Amino acid sequence: MIAILSSFGCKKYLDYKPQGALSVSDLTTPTAVDGLATAAYAGIANDWWDAPITSNWEWGSIRSDDAYKGGGDIGDQGQLDRYEQFYLVEPANNGFGDFGFPGAWIRAYAAISRCNVALRSLDALTDAQFPKRKIRIGEMRFLRGHMYFLLKVLFRNIPWFDETVSNDDILKVSNTMSNDSLWLHIEGDFQEAINDLPPTQPGEPGRANQLSAKAYLAKALLYHAYTQDANYNVTGVDANKLAQVVSLTNDVINSGIYSLNTDYAYNFLDGHDNGPESIFAIQYSINDGTAIGGRLSMSTSLNYFAGAPQYGCCAFHIPSQNLVNAFKTDANGVPEFDHFNDVGTEMKDSLDFLTNGVDPRIDHTVGIQGHPFKYNAAIPYDHSWERLSGLYGGFGTMKELQLATCPCFKKLGPFYGTSVNMDVIRYDDVLLMQAEAQIQLGNPLAALPLINQVRARAANVSPLVKKGDGTYPSNYRIQTYKPGVNIPAWDQATAFKALQWERRLEFAMEGYRFFDLVRWGLADVTMNNYFSIEKVRHPFLLNAQFTKSKHEYFPVPQEQIVFTNGLYTQNKGY
Amino acid sequence: MLLLAGFSYAQQKIITGQVVRNSTREPLQGVTVVSKTRSVTTDSAGRFSIAVSPGEMLILSFVGMNNLSIKVEASTTNLNLAMLEGINDLNQVVVTGYKSEKKIDLTGAVSVVNLAAIKDVPTTSPMLALQGQVPGLYISADGSPTGSNGAPPTILVRGVNTLGNTNPLYIIDGVPTTRYEDFSNLSVGAIASIQVLKDASASSIYGSRASNGVIIVTTKDGSGAGEKLRITLNSSLTWQTERPWQEKALSSEDRGRALWRAAVNDSTDPNNLVNQIYTYDWNNSFANPVLNKVNIAPFVGGNQLEPVGNTNWQDELYKTALVTSNDVGIASGNAKSGMFMDFGYLDNNGLLQYTDFQRYNARINSHTSGFNGRLKIGENLQLSRTSQVGAAKDPGGALTPTLALILAPTIPLRKTDGTFGGPIGPGYTDRNNPVDIQYLNRWNTTTRLQAYGNIFAELEVIKRLVVRTSFGFDYADSSGKFITQIGDEGPVNSFNSLTQQEAKEFTFTWTNTINYNLELGKHRLNLLGGIESVHDDYSVVGASTTNFALQQLTYFQLGAGSGSQTTSGGATGYRLLSQFGKAFYGYGDKYLASFTIRRDGSSRFGTNNPYGVFPAGTVGWRINNEEFFRNVHAVSNLKLRAGYGVVGNQAIGNLSAYSLFQANYGTSNPAYPQWLNTGTAYDLTGINTGSLPSGFVQVQLGNPNLKWETTKETNIGLDFGFMDESLTGSFDWFHRNTSDILIQPPIAGAVGEGQQQWLNGASIRNQGWEFVLSYQNTTGGRLHYTITGNVSHFANVITQLPEDVRSAYPGDPNHSIIGHSQYSIFGYKADGIYQNQQEVANHAAQPGAGPGRIRYVDLNGDGKVDVLDQTFLGTTLPKVIFGLRLSADYKNFDVSLFGSGVGGVTVYDPTKGFNTTVAANTNSGPGVFNAWTPQNTHSSIPALTILNLNNEGRTSNYYFVNGSFFKLRNAMIGYNLPKGIANKAAMQGLRIYVAGQNLFAIKSGKMTSKDPERTSYNSWPVPTSYTVGLNANF
């Protein structure tokens, strides 16, 4: 008894060793460190629709002239309604918690922290201990660059730091670094990745490689090349950076590893993950042993249809009338640049797509009454799938969705996920990046074959869009640009207009549009012109207003300013 | 002298009698019966005989009972006496902390629960029956069997002193636990006493876990039961219905009319709103709209099998529940040994369709003594098993009680093929048929097995020095089965799955005390010292399989699924090591003083501060025993108490002090919605399926300096009794400061994932008072009645909170939470409805304003209504709670009425929202037809709108209203069968009773919900219930 009692006094009694967890000191073996790198890949894909960091539909599509929020009514995911209408965006995100941009900030930095944790452990190893050490370092810097890029285009003024900065010191890093320096740091990560990475990663297409780093560096340089003043006006283009864009994209184009898919549809279909056009993609998987049945594309899971029996919810991300009209082509098979959106000429009913000429990509992008939905003639798109036709009715989104019969598809109650990858950079983007750089460098003729390569693939109409009777649902009328034939002259202005149009159609509903507009300095004019006509078509846009020199970027989330005791400077206008 | 005695003795005669407990008619053994010259005690049958002279008074006393005085008349030969449970019996012995003391000696704020008041209240837990009964104890529960849909109700002792867990500490037969089920699974019939230690000076002896209050329970041990076996049977049947509290929802046609009005108000075409359900024949005039006819599409979503209905979902989801409760207690005992057994069975077959709750419990307490009573050994053991199917969430996360209100009435319960109907097509929500959800959930049972108790030995080493050792154990096994099925209506899953999870927790508490008692003349001294160790281990394993070929209960076994399989599991635990001491000193019957100290070590804290010291001291002055008070006969008791004490709180995770990395293959963090991709696995090889490479991620940053949360409390109290304790009461005032509150502040996003750290960072001040007053009287006609009222007040404010944490609480940079409760509501002030464009123009700029819209006050006067115009609107935790109990008995009848309520509370009124807004996808209440229109001005309900451009769902005092109420919780009438009849059935006594619960509510005029306690449609409605029951003694 006394012996037992005396054991009471032993200090060891209070020792309790955590179970099933590791401490930093446990994470020094190459295997464990490689696990930290794997976790960093998972980090760039850990999201759902409340604040996506994978799909940009909430940031780049519904904030542009491409799409409406959709859903039940304007209060359904009300934060998105605020972003769509711009004038209601507030730093405090009142009432919506971390939903929306505050959550994206947190998730992107969470992913960055995984990269930095892995980099610290990788730095502590030697190449002898871990032969792939250098490659992993390159990958981590690539992923970090990817996340900083997202933060940069969302918020513009962000705190930038690398793995050498401690937690305490991170809380001293403000967001006042210059626009130029921020871009240089982001580009620095991609440059280092290029130096460290092999040209390909055999058997592991989910990893970054040298070419994906080159493509991403080109993308960052293209954004950086448009010099912005403090009011977000584009004041010029940096020829040196554009030349680098040309050189880097040439490396990708000439590598012989990547090319356009023969069919545009393959970019949006199961069975074509990591195909020739996919340069870097978020890898999704199904029936992989994770709790909900897979690491599925939950960032776009609201975008299926409420009324369709095979789905059941939620009808978000609705193509705008303006976007649908943009697919209209003239008698020569080129876009109706100036009159596409004229009131009274809208393409709304099924017949309109036969009486007008349209770009074939519309039937890959927009659900239209009676047209095969997602390449399935058996169940055509129907207005009854729409949730609230009085507010958001007319069309449905398609690219990010899959058929309910797809083995890649999983229905999780009212929400849906698929294992189809989400491309971050595609080959068509690389072609158009180079085209844009050439145009801005004053070489529009060099851009012409690149744009035409994209158009030619689009013109090679996919047999997958055919109706059950073998006919095409729309009157496809598309030509490559032939200066002097179907387009007056291929000067710099015309070429740039054609490039803008090409990007809009090629990447419609994929979340590129708003960032393109801001890069070009055209966001305010484009959006306010759009609202002036679109609000008549859809009264919910009645108060929508884009304020120049403010709404090009989200505010720094108010809570982040609070958490750092006012360290961050709020963005202009907020 | 001898002669005199002899003379008086000559006048005496022997009378006999029997004493029973008035409430149950069970015989009372051990009652002291005192005459002028003699003192005897009753036997196991409650019988006594005593020699008395006519005209003499007999005084009967018994612990827990009011003293009874009877004048012996010349004709008296046999007395049948019934004693009443005393609500303020000063000689009652109560357990207050490793020892017992007389109530009269208490110097801290301790409430002794009147068990008679909760005995026959038909609830699944004694805690639910305590609602409103104890001053300072706040209990908030919904209508589910457990009080909060499978989870414990909210239980607060003296409000809230922390930002974290507020569960009190339970001490059951000396064994500490924070597990609510250990208390809730007790049969009321097995409980000997319940004490609530409210202030720090009383609870400080329990140290580190006492800051949320301590509830001490002692169960019966057979002592005093008598050598003959005593059996008591308590049975009841209860019917529960939610109908009296049901809120009205719109019919199919009325919902169409409301949507039409909303579309017209928005100047949008009503025939384009949800035209797959409703089309309208109207005059197409927005200026002067007239609706001729609502056309409802004949089929839901065009499905020929699903003809449109007119469903009252509440009627379909709720049914009359039948609650069966049976409890048998068996007791036997003498001065040396005692035994008590109790078996209980309770079944609640579910207020919601396909739900149920079942409980079996058994208790075996026994003790014996030897070595001339110097050694006492014994054990207490409680075994219980509960199984429950509760309210379910649909796959989108909505609870069925909410769905029963918001789901559109046009959806039929069933399709024509007999399968459940559900929302499909435009105009419907992405939620499900609640009856189907409950049906699909009907096998999802959570079963809990628990064993709780201790083995103890007490040895009187030398006279007055007792050492005691107790091995306490608390074992809980919780196993859940969660089946997801492929349904046939609305948004359901495209696969089925089975998840099974089993969690085990074993807590071992070893307590050793040494106790010394000394009485020297007027000096009374008691010294106690002790050590205690707590050793807790928890582990959980889970497994899940998908793809079952058959959807039937017998087939849902983990091995039968053909799809992917996942497993999960983990383990955690904690250790506590404590030393404590207590000294009590009493001088005469006037002056009382007590001092306690405890030192606790916990494995939950950092290596730098594992120990905390918690001292307390109290003094008491029994004024009525002072010489100068002797002549004040009206005052039978007057005691002033004062105390100061320190208590702690360690209610954080077991591993909060550590930096941790974990592999997380992809098991969703329960804190996140299930759809969030989390984890460390990734498909690097692009194979799309199968097992993935995985890694590690940091989940928490350590803090070696983590230490206790500390509460310092001052308590001043006054106990009083007048007119021989006919009128009794007490008043307590307290003031608490809690500092070093454990918080896990959010950090800057830039620092990244898993970098959150537990800190000691905030302070809260809490103060209040409690007042209880009781009057009892027996009238000439043998009518005995008691009226007891209690009222208490508590209010807490945050006095210190790091800047970076504040955004997690109500307020804004200009209105800090400092100085307000964490339960504050922060929002806009509504100021009526704009009647015309002129009023809009005259008011501050308010985006979305217009005639018929809510006007919000421009609080900062800057000419515009924006986020800076918010203010504190009140708190959701009431400032005042009160209860009133009236009981009376007359001859064989007894009645009791009990009600309780709250005041000073601001709550969300869900019914107001339901009756003022329309939504394109969900239903509303009939109040929407009173909404403002240009033709119906002066309405307080804003014009119906779908666009809601004025953002009227914002937090404002339009929806957050005064939620004060008083509810009649229980009314009971009982009848004791005449003894002769009971005896014929071999019974000592039989009482039958009928009772009703939750009979009516009186509420603030601002609150439109019928049930003022239902502040969210997510919670189960609190039903009205009717009970018949019996108490029998054999």
Side-chain angles (χ1 to χ4, degrees), chain A residues 13 15 32 111 113-114 132 160 166 171 197 233 291 293 313 319 361 431 442 458 478 503 536 548 558 569:
Chain A
Y13 183 82
D15 276 359
S113 75
R114 288 192 180 193
K132 290 203 165 172
W160 193 97
S166 71
L171 291 171
L197 287 170
N233 295 309
C313 197
R361 285 171 287 195
L431 293 177
I478 179 172
R503 286 193 69 84
V536 181
K548 184 172 152 49
Q558 185 62 36
T569 303

Side-chain angles (χ1 to χ4, degrees), chain B residues 474-549:
Chain B
D474 177 6
Y475 175 76
D477 178 319
S478 166
S479 87
K481 194 165 184 178
F482 310 100
I483 298 168
T484 302
Q485 298 188 61
I486 301 168
D488 48 29
E489 58 82 22
V492 288
N493 291 315
S494 62
F495 63 101
N496 55 27
S497 68
L498 165 69
T499 302
Q500 270 181 279
Q501 196 172 59
E502 182 141 13
K504 293 182 164 119
E505 185 166 19
F506 186 80
T507 314
F508 176 73
T509 306
W510 189 22
T511 313
N512 295 285
T513 56
I514 180 161
N515 196 341
Y516 183 67
N517 256 311
L518 186 67
E519 285 193 36
L520 270 179
K522 289 191 164 181
H523 304 276
R524 285 186 289 149
L525 183 66
N526 177 271
L527 297 172
L528 172 94
I531 51 175
E532 187 169 81
S533 72
V534 179
H535 187 110
D536 175 274
D537 283 301
Y538 171 89
S539 68
V540 59
V541 291
S544 175
T545 311
T546 59
N547 219 355
F548 290 84

Side-chain angles (χ1 to χ4, degrees), chain B residues 74-112:
Chain B
S75 57
T76 309
T77 55
N78 188 35
L79 288 166
N80 277 319
L81 301 170
M83 293 185 81
L84 294 158
E85 270 100 354
I87 47 169
N88 196 29
D89 173 48
L90 293 171
N91 286 310
Q92 190 172 354
V93 173
V94 296
V95 180
T96 56
Y98 299 99
K99 63 187 280 292
S100 51
E101 52 195 311
K102 282 186 178 174
K103 197 173 169 188
I104 205 162
D105 288 338
L106 290 179
T107 47
V110 178
S111 283
V112 179

